[in-house]
Amino acid sequence: MAKPFNRILITGAAGDLGGKLREGLAPLANHLRLADRMPIPDLQAHEEGLTFDLSDEAATIGATRDVDAIVHFGGASRERVWNDVLDSTIRGSYHIYEGARKHGVKRVIYASSIHAVGYHASDSHIDTQAPVRPDSLYGVSKCFVEALSSLYWNKFGIETACLRIVSCFPEPADRRMLGSWLSYDDCIRLVASCLTANYVGHSTIFGVSDNRAKLVDNSKAAHLGFVPQDSSEPYRAQVEATTEPLDHMAATTRHLGGWFVDLGHPDNEPGQ
Amino acid sequence: MAKPFNRILITGAAGDLGGKLREGLAPLANHLRLADRMPIPDLQAHEEGLTFDLSDEAATIGATRDVDAIVHFGGASRERVWNDVLDSTIRGSYHIYEGARKHGVKRVIYASSIHAVGYHASDSHIDTQAPVRPDSLYGVSKCFVEALSSLYWNKFGIETACLRIVSCFPEPADRRMLGSWLSYDDCIRLVASCLTANYVGHSTIFGVSDNRAKLVDNSKAAHLGFVPQDSSEPYRAQVEATTEPLDHMAATTRHLGGWFVDLGHPDNEPGQ
Amino acid sequence: MAKPFNRILITGAAGDLGGKLREGLAPLANHLRLADRMPIPDLQAHEEGLTFDLSDEAATIGATRDVDAIVHFGGASRERVWNDVLDSTIRGSYHIYEGARKHGVKRVIYASSIHAVGYHASDSHIDTQAPVRPDSLYGVSKCFVEALSSLYWNKFGIETACLRIVSCFPEPADRRMLGSWLSYDDCIRLVASCLTANYVGHSTIFGVSDNRAKLVDNSKAAHLGFVPQDSSEPYRAQVEATTEPLDHMAATTRHLGGWFVDLGHPDNEPGQ
Amino acid sequence: MAKPFNRILITGAAGDLGGKLREGLAPLANHLRLADRMPIPDLQAHEEGLTFDLSDEAATIGATRDVDAIVHFGGASRERVWNDVLDSTIRGSYHIYEGARKHGVKRVIYASSIHAVGYHASDSHIDTQAPVRPDSLYGVSKCFVEALSSLYWNKFGIETACLRIVSCFPEPADRRMLGSWLSYDDCIRLVASCLTANYVGHSTIFGVSDNRAKLVDNSKAAHLGFVPQDSSEPYRAQVEATTEPLDHMAATTRHLGGWFVDLGHPDNEPGQ
Amino acid sequence: MAKPFNRILITGAAGDLGGKLREGLAPLANHLRLADRMPIPDLQAHEEGLTFDLSDEAATIGATRDVDAIVHFGGASRERVWNDVLDSTIRGSYHIYEGARKHGVKRVIYASSIHAVGYHASDSHIDTQAPVRPDSLYGVSKCFVEALSSLYWNKFGIETACLRIVSCFPEPADRRMLGSWLSYDDCIRLVASCLTANYVGHSTIFGVSDNRAKLVDNSKAAHLGFVPQDSSEPYRAQVEATTEPLDHMAATTRHLGGWFVDLGHPDNEPGQ
Amino acid sequence: MAKPFNRILITGAAGDLGGKLREGLAPLANHLRLADRMPIPDLQAHEEGLTFDLSDEAATIGATRDVDAIVHFGGASRERVWNDVLDSTIRGSYHIYEGARKHGVKRVIYASSIHAVGYHASDSHIDTQAPVRPDSLYGVSKCFVEALSSLYWNKFGIETACLRIVSCFPEPADRRMLGSWLSYDDCIRLVASCLTANYVGHSTIFGVSDNRAKLVDNSKAAHLGFVPQDSSEPYRAQVEATTEPLDHMAATTRHLGGWFVDLGHPDNEPGQ
């Protein structure tokens, strides 16, 4: 049976999650074009590897040629100093969208983040229409790309699904993740649902597994057809045995962004 | 064990779906009174057949005598010229409600339609309280009956559940129906739930199966106890293999009403 | 200075309010075409009189030729038996909209009514997006025209402002009208605002003066630019001196529709 | 593996539901301190029994010493004369919260009731943020404790989960309970979820099993992680066989509070 | 012209505001019955004075005999120790409502307080339907009376307007009051509007003048017809000249309750 | 009397509106520091002039030293090519906020724009919490600054009022501006209100005069105390006499952003 796409571009493809995406999305396209700052290991026959920095306008735009859809997971993956955020996420994502516009790509799946809304309260059950409240420069740059993609939808007809991923890790590592965890498999289900949905337009969806405690409300994204299959529950006993209860008065407990809300300014902190 | 109703009137009972309703609702009543413009085939012992046009006031009111509940699926079932819509749905439904008022029938289950709200956006996730936005004369006539039944509840105490059926077919026939399909079995579950619910008052509910992609929000109808059991998912591979992806810029994709929004005025189109 | 319209059709032009509209709208058009079942008295040079029943399809459609806007105040003006409601408001308004469609009229101002939502609670402060809850066949027919005009906007590009007039009388006649009164002058301001607004699309607005007690919420209609100038307050002392306080437990007090909620079915009441 | 709490105080521990809580919560604490007006039967090694009236300030405050969490199910359990409500629920709960404040207890699980909102309509699908509308002095006293606990959270940092229990019985006893039933096992799941949730703050949640017909909306309480496992459905046939359908016009059907809305004033009714 | 009421009971009538109410409400009733713990000074011919404590059940119920409406401004007027709050506001208001029920009084105007919702954020623009978040025992007791009056409306048909007065003083005394001030004259307008409104049912309204900065939203109370005439603006220059700007990070600035949110527990503070 | 601020920095101070701000804000500060890419004409004794580009990090941060508040009107003032938008608004505003953080400035008044939400419908009456839908790169950059300022409030305690100015011109120049106009005087009132408000936190407000037709909803910004005094109404006759009615089907009419929604991509249009 014919695959739904001929060629999908995946940015940020060299890391762990990138590896999972390569594997999980293979059934959806004849070719996967894999881009990253780092070389892509172990290229398969149906894969093309590209190594460049998203701040490189020509290279980024060039990577979008002959592509049917873009899974844009590249750019800074956590809090960084301003110049890194500016180059990789703000300028880099602009290059991606300009590439899509110039080369007629119809749909983008973007790895946004819960940190675009990290200062909302943990018990506020925001839905995907709540105003942004970023908790970091990283979060601000995600807000920028969400706004940019909204423009490219309304003005240029390029669809984007903004995935506000909460905590995508191999397994829940602490008590907060009992509510915020997105399994790798559910992440792939999420991307695949958005790639194959009848209609995306400009949609936002929280990326979270079917954990028992639910912190955010995806009801306004139900047209995307994402149905998570995993849960943090099997890991609960182990997590509770090895970690302390959260301090219910701490800002990191009371806000969706978790420990991001306690980060200082990254330009002051040389380790970042 | 006693059945909950002695006699239920089903209008529009001669067609395919009518046949399913006859079978599915049999356990709920000692007698089914079956009405249609066309003769009812294969009457069973517990069934009574009546052939008349809903625009016939006396016949329609007469059909509601000695009835405990009405499942009103009759009237125009798709876009029609104005005079047909006027006679079958507007005048016909008025006759049904007058019959209910005069003969003391307590509850009506009405086959309304998504086309009462067909001009809402496909990603707007409207709930059952959203303002009407009909996409056809057919849809306007459904709005009329919904309003009429609201009056008969508030003023005369006759309960109605308005079922806004989306796409009730034997199986999903195209990509839009992957989100909009209502299986025949779920349709019967829906009618049966509304017939036996503790309290209906004047309620509206979307008639749609438990498809993966969800286009509308039934949370305000949860007191009716409808829990769909079917899904379009088993048909996905076949539908995707045999149909083209939807054009995401087309009005028919971007609105809940689908291809109804592209219909012209029916009086201009002799085929209807 | 050029007037904004060449010719406006006013239906229901023979009555008291019709006379006020003729006078108030004269500055907006070179010609006023005045239609009613009854002859129009005292025609002026800039006025054309037409006498016909709205149920007459050919006459009604003919009246819309060469017209730039329609102020549709005709049809049953209070609760009537079903056949009158059907002919004058339901069929009659369909003829008006067909005329607009066939003759390219761009904008309709429709006299809807609070009775389209008369069963909402008096203290619920509904806005113009609340679901309909009609209190009479009259109210149901208003719901029909609101739905019909929504279709003609979305499908055929004909704008309509639905004016849900509450109590339009020369002066407030009872205590309920202290909250619900629309002065004749404010009624004309309302119609004129809707005729000259930049953008109407399909809008709904409550027609009520700037009374001290406010029962409904027009905030979602503020793009129409209606600013009432009159108030019931100067009449308060007289009204309170000559009428009894309302019974706060009565259904007529507790619902927006007032005494309409206590009307029985009109076909049972020969006086109507 | 270490239990999450050293000592939990349970008030109202002598009754049937108290017995279930003793059993169900045992895995969560090394010690259960059980309080009631009546003696606690059959004390186990890990249990401490205390007999006192909640109106006894010193005894109640004393009972909260060395406690890590309080499951406050004591106080009047149905409509009572004013002085009983005042002493047991209003004064008694104040004593509980003063104890928590003075002894540094961090979290309280409070058995509030649907009767705090019993005058909302049965089809209004209120969520946990709807304004209170109590249906009895009992309900008013629950509103008081909900407000009091909100103060103790915001000002003193003591978390409370207010459980608005609907109908907690061994099995559904009538047709209303088909929608309102909370099984004993789900009640324990609910309490345990709230005890072990990462973050409670001041939260309200309806206590109801996963019945087919759903009357209230818990979506804003999803951070508490309560997932009911039971349903009234297996009892439906038996309930419908042995009870009459509800009168859909009765106030007791049309309001969430059920038969509480038909109770007169308790001081007039010596039986209460 | 006949006055709208024969006799109005005013509780808390001995203080400054009580004096203003005596004067302002005189045109509305033939007789004012004035009650307070302290003797009422300077009784006029149309006035009756009663001295008793609201915790005295018999005296309070007796004071409601032969009364047409109650303006209930008595009870603790600021944060107090628990026993004072319990006796004066909780028990005292129960006695008032029992008096109204036993003696057939139809309408109560109750002086509630912003402190029932004092922990909402200063920029949250809550309306009158927002959940309670009291900031003091005083605020909790106001929540109790609001809930109690809701019961007496729904069950016994006694209307109440709950006036959530923000800062009722002779003039704005600090910068917070530039937004929160209610002039004495506007307070009287508010009470008079609620006494003479067509329909009150159970309504809540914020008591605040027409200050330039608006902190709360009265749109859902517009049926009460309160239109404030005063503003803090004429006092702005003087207030700004004599007081420091607010600290925008302080809890007292960030919450509607102002300095109440920084009060400790009253039982710990002998001065209260 | 002491002025509320010692020194205010105004960026974008060299243009027409800048001149008005210099004049209008003079009463609020002992010193105005005026910054622009262009030299500031006619410096007064209380004014300091600074000429630099906002993309110059050191100069921009330096300009914020010893400043009590910042009125940030600099940056691209209409659609520009990407590199201009990036440098002047995105990088420039980051420099402003870093200056505020490093130099302890407490409050920023930011000239955002309706073009941050320009793709919302003209009749949608959005309030200040609606999700962003930018209509241009200019609008996207405004979204970025709004998000950035939200971070600096929540994490670093720097207040910002985001003024979404609609059409700030000397007078309304076309029919759209009858609804969207902000007079220069009202612009100054708006900035002054935000500078002197008790509490700003992170607030958004639409900048529009008191025009008869209202397109947006400022009710959630009422704590800022902005009360416009001007209206487009005196200009209506002249505007209507000299301009054509809007095409009600045009995208520029149907969206808040007006003609911005019809702009192509700026990098393709050398004139911009």
Side-chain angles (χ1 to χ4, degrees), chain E:
Chain E
M1 196 166 75
K3 295 185 174 179
F5 297 93
N6 185 46
R7 181 177 286 102
I8 296 174
L9 168 65
I10 304 176
T11 69
D16 277 3
L17 180 56
K20 294 287 180 182
L21 288 169
R22 289 164 64 182
E23 187 182 320
L25 302 182
L28 294 181
N30 299 319
H31 307 281
L32 294 182
R33 182 174 292 167
L34 307 173
D36 207 297
R37 289 188 304 172
M38 310 296 293
I40 309 291
D42 302 315
L43 281 177
Q44 308 296 308
H46 66 283
E47 296 177 331
E48 311 161 8
L50 290 176
T51 305
F52 61 88
D53 199 288
L54 289 162
S55 63
D56 179 337
E57 179 177 3
T60 307
I61 291 179
T64 64
R65 189 189 311 269
D66 294 328
V67 151
D68 301 299
I70 300 172
V71 176
H72 179 34
F73 273 58
S77 63
R78 55 184 177 83
E79 184 64 325
R80 294 284 182 182
V81 296
W82 166 245
N83 280 329
D84 286 358
V85 168
L86 182 69
D87 278 347
S88 70
T89 303
I90 294 179
R91 294 182 57 237
S93 298
Y94 177 74
H95 299 154
I96 287 286
Y97 278 91
E98 278 294 275
R101 182 173 73 89
K102 290 178 173 168
H103 293 130
V105 185
K106 296 283 182 52
R107 189 173 286 186
V108 179
I109 314 302
Y110 176 58
S112 182
S113 166
I114 191 69
H115 299 293
V117 290
Y119 265 113
H120 281 279
S122 292
D123 58 356
S124 59
H125 292 281
I126 57 166
D127 67 20
T128 51
Q129 305 299 300
V132 297
R133 290 195 194 164
D135 58 21
S136 50
L137 292 181
Y138 171 74
V140 171
S141 74
K142 296 298 187 184
C143 299
F144 168 83
V145 185
E146 291 189 358
L148 183 74
S149 59
S150 169
L151 173 66
Y152 275 74
W153 161 241
N154 284 306
K155 188 159 269 183
F156 305 117
I158 300 169
E159 295 185 294
T160 295
C162 297
L163 318 182
R164 285 186 183 158
I165 293 170
V166 191
S167 304
C168 192
F169 287 92
E171 56 184 65
D174 58 28
R175 294 202 183 207
R176 177 174 170 269
M177 286 198 202
L178 293 176
S180 67
W181 186 54
L182 175 69
S183 74
Y184 279 173
D185 284 349
D186 275 343
C187 185
I188 288 165
R189 287 183 191 103
L190 174 56
V191 173
S193 290
C194 292
L195 281 169
T196 60
N198 275 336
Y199 179 62
V200 165
H202 186 262
S203 296
T204 305
I205 184 168
F206 295 106
V208 67
S209 284
D210 186 29
N211 306 317
R212 209 182 75 195
K214 288 173 175 51
L215 304 179
V216 286
D217 174 359
N218 260 338
S219 60
K220 288 194 167 58
H223 57 293
L224 299 176
F226 170 53
V227 182
Q229 305 288 323
D230 295 324
S231 164
S232 64
E233 211 58 20
Y235 303 88
R236 177 178 294 272
Q238 172 193 338
V239 167
E240 291 183 349
T242 57
T243 60
E244 287 298 302
L246 301 182
D247 172 6
H248 68 272
M249 300 300 282
T252 53
T253 304
R254 297 178 77 160
H255 295 98
L256 286 177
W259 57 271
F260 270 61
V261 307
D262 267 2
L263 293 176
H265 193 286
D267 291 5
N268 294 340
E269 312 194 8
Q272 298 197 308

Side-chain angles (χ1 to χ4, degrees), chain F residues 16-28:
Chain F
D16 276 2
L17 180 56
K20 294 288 179 182
L21 289 169
R22 288 165 65 183
E23 188 182 320
L25 302 182
L28 294 181

Side-chain angles (χ1 to χ4, degrees), chain C residues 1 4 106-107 153-154 156-159 192-193 196-203 219-227, chain F residues 121-125 174-179 211-215 217 236-238 240-241 245-249 253-254:
Chain C
M1 196 167 74
K106 297 282 183 51
R107 190 172 286 185
W153 162 241
N154 284 307
F156 305 116
I158 299 169
E159 295 185 295
S193 290
T196 60
N198 276 336
Y199 180 63
V200 165
H202 186 262
S203 295
S219 60
K220 287 195 168 57
H223 58 293
L224 299 176
F226 170 53
V227 182
Chain F
S122 292
D123 59 355
S124 59
H125 292 281
D174 59 28
R175 294 201 183 208
R176 178 174 170 267
M177 285 197 203
L178 294 176
N211 306 316
R212 208 183 74 196
K214 289 174 174 51
L215 303 178
D217 174 359
R236 178 179 292 273
Q238 172 193 337
E240 290 183 348
L246 301 183
D247 172 6
H248 69 272
M249 299 301 281
T253 303
R254 298 179 75 160

Side-chain angles (χ1 to χ4, degrees), chain C residues 61-62 105 109 129 140 224 250:
Chain C
I61 291 180
V105 185
I109 314 301
Q129 306 298 300
V140 171
L224 299 176

Side-chain angles (χ1 to χ4, degrees), chain F residues 54-247:
Chain F
L54 289 163
S55 63
D56 180 336
E57 179 177 3
T60 307
I61 291 180
T64 63
R65 189 188 310 269
D66 295 328
V67 152
D68 302 298
I70 300 173
V71 176
H72 180 33
F73 273 58
S77 62
R78 55 185 178 80
E79 184 64 325
R80 294 285 184 183
V81 298
W82 167 244
N83 281 328
D84 286 358
V85 168
L86 182 70
D87 278 349
S88 70
T89 302
I90 294 178
R91 293 183 56 237
S93 298
Y94 176 74
H95 299 153
I96 287 286
Y97 278 92
E98 277 294 274
R101 183 174 72 88
K102 290 178 172 166
H103 293 130
V105 186
K106 298 282 182 52
R107 190 173 286 186
V108 179
I109 313 301
Y110 177 58
S112 183
S113 166
I114 190 69
H115 299 292
V117 290
Y119 266 112
H120 280 278
S122 292
D123 59 355
S124 59
H125 292 281
I126 58 167
D127 68 20
T128 51
Q129 305 299 300
V132 297
R133 290 195 194 165
D135 58 21
S136 52
L137 293 181
Y138 171 74
V140 171
S141 74
K142 296 298 187 184
C143 299
F144 168 82
V145 185
E146 291 189 357
L148 184 74
S149 59
S150 169
L151 172 67
Y152 275 74
W153 162 241
N154 284 307
K155 189 160 267 184
F156 305 117
I158 299 169
E159 295 185 295
T160 294
C162 296
L163 318 183
R164 286 186 183 158
I165 293 170
V166 191
S167 303
C168 191
F169 287 91
E171 57 186 64
D174 59 28
R175 294 201 183 208
R176 178 174 170 267
M177 285 197 203
L178 294 176
S180 66
W181 187 54
L182 175 70
S183 74
Y184 279 174
D185 284 349
D186 275 342
C187 185
I188 287 164
R189 286 183 191 104
L190 174 56
V191 173
S193 290
C194 293
L195 281 169
T196 60
N198 275 337
Y199 179 63
V200 165
H202 186 261
S203 295
T204 304
I205 183 169
F206 295 106
V208 67
S209 284
D210 185 29
N211 306 316
R212 208 183 74 196
K214 289 174 174 51
L215 303 178
V216 286
D217 174 359
N218 261 338
S219 60
K220 287 194 167 58
H223 58 293
L224 299 176
F226 170 52
V227 182
Q229 305 288 322
D230 294 324
S231 164
S232 64
E233 211 56 21
Y235 304 86
R236 178 179 292 273
Q238 172 193 337
V239 167
E240 290 183 348
T242 57
T243 60
E244 288 297 302
L246 301 183
D247 172 6

Side-chain angles (χ1 to χ4, degrees), chain C residues 126-138:
Chain C
I126 57 166
D127 67 20
T128 51
Q129 306 298 300
V132 297
R133 291 195 194 163
D135 58 21
S136 51
L137 293 181
Y138 172 73

